Amino acid sequence: MNTSDRPGGTDADGLLAEQLLRLTRRLHRIQKRHLEPVGITPAQSRLLRTVAHFGEPPRMADLAARLEVVPRAVTSLVDGLEAGDRVRRVPDPSNRRVVRIELTDAGRATLRELRSARRAAAEDILAPLTVEQREVLEGLLSALVDPGPERGC
Amino acid sequence: MNTSDRPGGTDADGLLAEQLLRLTRRLHRIQKRHLEPVGITPAQSRLLRTVAHFGEPPRMADLAARLEVVPRAVTSLVDGLEAGDRVRRVPDPSNRRVVRIELTDAGRATLRELRSARRAAAEDILAPLTVEQREVLEGLLSALVDPGPERGC
DNA sequence: TCGGAGGTGTTCATACGGGAACAATATCAG
DNA sequence: CTGATATTGTTCCCGTATGAACACCTCCGA
């Protein structure tokens, strides 16, 4: 008898979580290697890209929301990037609580370097999959990640 | 001309990595919540299960290999579990370098509590997927994680 | 106007992982 | 037997993320 359609907690679910963890660690290692020559860390790279994708200099809270992390995490990342002169903390004149994050020229230069590094890293980890498989995988992950905040919390 | 079969580095690959990260963070949060009443952390839970799956008390290096982490990571986890009396470090008489990790009775009890918690956590994160989709997902992740030792380095 | 509710960012402690350096032990070559 | 080498586990430092406590600022209602 197989529980072929309804979810129900097969033992394989634990395995799935396991593989997810392993894979993410691998991804992190690979990204780290590829980003080393650029001089930033994977999370900083994500942050930098996120800053660039905003039209206007985003606030810390904007970045936290976009990256789906707590604001605390953003602070450290901005600290690191600011130390390397890739972003700048700019006070918001209209609300003295908020800090806006601006790209510097060096930051924009880093972004250009990043493109190929990110490509290579992604290719590195996704190598075993065909493009079709990647699309399927992305669909499944989207279903898991998006599903909206209707989950009791 | 679509690159419909060969990989080639579409921009979606970066998105895929992104979703993977998000999902894993979510998984970690969920596991943490479910394991709180048991009194251990997600990584400790993984370690405990791994210890149990060995026939004989494994060495630190065995655990590191099985979990695919560096030995350094195992040290901390064992520290935590030992502080809670769930495992015991036992010197190996035949080789004074190695430490063997034994489950205690409390550890075995914790393992029983863990089963339902892990189920619930997995179900929590996988809820949006049917069993078929989970199987597909697991297949894809396996292909990415396993991919065999033909990887350079 | 003033006083509290609530937003905004940052410090503190903790969990988890990786890399490098290191001490102790084992093993093997001469 | 002795000295080089390899294995095993551990300490040190860092990257990444969370949660709690906190300081500051805004803004609304009395």
Side-chain angles (χ1 to χ4, degrees):
Chain A
M1 166 186 186
N2 65 11
T3 59
S4 119
D5 199 33
R6 269 154 314 126
T10 44
D11 204 24
D13 294 349
L15 177 58
L16 223 156
E18 192 65 28
Q19 289 169 321
L20 210 54
L21 290 177
R22 278 205 234 278
L23 187 55
T24 304
R25 277 201 300 267
R26 253 180 52 142
L27 174 63
H28 190 260
R29 283 194 294 263
I30 289 176
Q31 284 183 338
K32 186 179 167 191
R33 259 208 311 279
H34 281 273
L35 289 176
E36 219 151 69
V38 184
I40 65 175
T41 65
Q44 286 173 356
S45 153
R46 291 207 314 137
L47 184 74
L48 208 56
R49 283 174 58 87
T50 307
V51 172
H53 278 25
F54 274 85
E56 244 183 292
R59 305 169 308 156
M60 302 292 279
D62 295 333
L63 294 169
R66 186 70 72 97
L67 293 171
E68 282 183 26
V69 296
V70 295
R72 174 65 184 86
V74 181
T75 299
S76 312
L77 296 179
V78 170
D79 284 349
L81 287 172
E82 199 173 28
D85 260 324
R86 295 186 166 98
V87 301
R88 216 180 352 239
R89 262 181 250 242
V90 178
D92 185 323
S94 80
N95 186 341
R96 284 191 295 173
R97 287 171 301 182
V98 333
V99 180
R100 299 209 168 257
I101 308 303
E102 277 181 5
L103 279 176
T104 64
D105 288 343
R108 274 180 280 269
T110 302
L111 270 170
R112 282 189 290 275
E113 292 182 69
L114 239 53
R115 292 187 50 137
S116 57
R118 274 178 60 91
R119 280 290 162 90
E123 188 50 41
D124 225 5
I125 191 131
L126 293 175
L129 261 42
T130 67
V131 170
E132 281 88 358
Q133 288 176 314
R134 296 180 195 192
E135 282 167 9
V136 172
L137 179 56
E138 190 189 314
L140 293 173
L141 293 184
S142 294
L144 286 174
V145 170
D146 287 345
E150 95 288 340
R151 307 218 37 78
C153 119
Chain B
M1 168 200 176
N2 64 11
T3 61
S4 116
D5 201 30
R6 268 155 314 127
T10 44
D11 203 25
D13 295 349
L15 178 57
L16 223 156
E18 191 64 30
Q19 288 168 323
L20 209 56
L21 291 177
R22 279 206 235 276
L23 187 55
T24 303
R25 277 201 302 267
R26 250 178 57 140
L27 174 62
H28 191 260
R29 283 194 293 261
I30 288 176
Q31 284 183 339
K32 189 177 166 193
R33 258 207 313 278
H34 280 273
L35 289 176
E36 220 153 68
V38 184
I40 65 176
T41 65
Q44 287 174 354
S45 154
R46 290 207 316 139
L47 184 75
L48 207 57
R49 283 174 58 86
T50 307
V51 172
H53 280 24
F54 275 86
E56 240 181 295
R59 305 169 309 157
M60 302 292 280
D62 295 332
L63 293 169
R66 186 70 71 97
L67 293 170
E68 283 183 25
V69 295
V70 296
R72 172 67 186 84
V74 180
T75 299
S76 313
L77 296 180
V78 171
D79 284 349
L81 286 172
E82 200 173 27
D85 259 326
R86 295 185 166 99
V87 300
R88 220 182 346 243
R89 261 181 251 244
V90 178
D92 185 323
S94 78
N95 187 339
R96 283 192 296 173
R97 286 172 301 181
V98 333
V99 179
R100 298 207 170 260
I101 307 304
E102 279 181 3
L103 279 176
T104 64
D105 289 342
R108 274 180 281 271
T110 302
L111 270 170
R112 282 189 291 276
E113 292 182 69
L114 240 54
R115 294 187 49 137
S116 58
R118 273 178 60 93
R119 282 291 161 89
E123 187 51 42
D124 226 5
I125 192 131
L126 293 175
L129 261 45
T130 67
V131 169
E132 280 87 358
Q133 287 177 314
R134 296 180 194 192
E135 282 167 9
V136 173
L137 180 56
E138 190 188 315
L140 293 173
L141 293 183
S142 294
L144 287 174
V145 171
D146 285 346
E150 95 284 345
R151 302 209 46 72
C153 148

